[in-house]
Amino acid sequence: MLIKLTEVAFATSGYGATKNIDKVITTPVWLNPAHIAKLETKTAPSDHPDITIIAWGTGRIGNHTEVLETPEQIIALIKGLL
């Protein structure tokens, strides 16, 4: 079974103290929870909710994605599948 999450990306301009978020891009993404290796919370740019980094696999076959859902929400979605 797959879980549906909201992938997020920030389009920014400038850097340092002048860094601005021009656009927040959200995309639905479906992930297999059996492949999740690690959940990590990352502070998002100012005035935006924190994001969760989901890592799976290792080496060349590993990858990661950034989503809006918290680790607690992701775990609840996984438990709902069981």
Side-chain angles (χ1 to χ4, degrees):
M1 297 295 257
L2 302 175
I3 56 173
K4 183 180 180 182
L5 302 171
T6 307
E7 187 174 28
V8 64
F10 300 100
T12 60
S13 62
Y15 61 94
T18 62
K19 187 174 184 177
N20 296 319
I21 297 175
D22 298 327
K23 188 175 183 181
V24 178
I25 304 162
T26 58
T27 310
V29 61
W30 292 88
L31 294 176
N32 185 342
H35 294 215
I36 294 175
K38 182 170 118 178
L39 297 173
E40 180 181 338
T41 303
K42 176 181 169 185
T43 303
S46 63
D47 299 334
H48 294 283
D50 290 345
I51 57 176
T52 302
I53 300 172
I54 300 175
W56 64 88
T58 59
R60 293 187 304 176
I61 61 170
N63 204 350
H64 71 279
T65 190
E66 298 177 348
V67 298
L68 286 177
E69 289 79 8
T70 65
E72 293 80 15
Q73 290 171 322
I74 295 169
I75 291 168
L77 286 171
I78 294 169
K79 285 183 179 179
L81 292 176
L82 301 176

